[in-house]
Amino acid sequence: MESKTVYEIKTENGKTAKVELCITQREGREKPYGIYAVISDGITRDEAYANERFFTHAEAEAAVRMLCRGEVTPCTLCDII
């Protein structure tokens, strides 16, 4: 199961970058849900995983909504989660 949320931000050099946050699931784990984040400006790409952080899909969805409001990028995902 995977769901994705996409938003755009302006980078420090004025370019528009697309951020995708996906909810991931690993079956058979105590906390099966996590978040995958990727940012791309069409030239460069950065990604990060925060796996096995949530008990339910609803918890992961709430975290994604919070991360989108704060415009969290992959480089800070694990620090915040």
Side-chain angles (χ1 to χ4, degrees), residues 3 5 11 14 17 20 29 32 38-39 41 46 50 63-64 76 78-79:
S3 59
T5 303
T11 64
E20 296 179 22
R29 307 294 178 136
V38 62
I39 186 170
D41 65 6
D46 187 23
V64 166
T76 58
C78 291
D79 293 334

Side-chain angles (χ1 to χ4, degrees), residues 9-81:
I9 63 170
K10 290 284 187 189
T11 64
E12 61 274 356
N13 59 6
K15 289 184 177 182
T16 299
K18 181 171 70 170
V19 178
E20 296 179 22
L21 297 171
C22 302
I23 297 173
T24 61
Q25 182 180 10
R26 291 185 174 178
E27 293 292 332
R29 307 294 178 136
E30 182 180 359
K31 294 181 178 180
Y33 297 96
I35 297 173
Y36 166 72
V38 62
I39 186 170
S40 176
D41 65 6
I43 298 170
T44 59
R45 178 182 168 95
D46 187 23
E47 58 187 50
Y49 289 88
N51 291 317
E52 300 178 41
R53 303 295 175 101
F54 307 100
F55 290 106
T56 67
H57 191 270
E59 289 175 318
E61 283 181 326
V64 166
R65 285 192 301 274
M66 180 269 304
L67 295 170
C68 288
R69 281 193 309 273
E71 295 186 343
V72 172
T73 60
C75 67
T76 58
L77 176 66
C78 291
D79 293 334
I80 292 176
I81 295 296

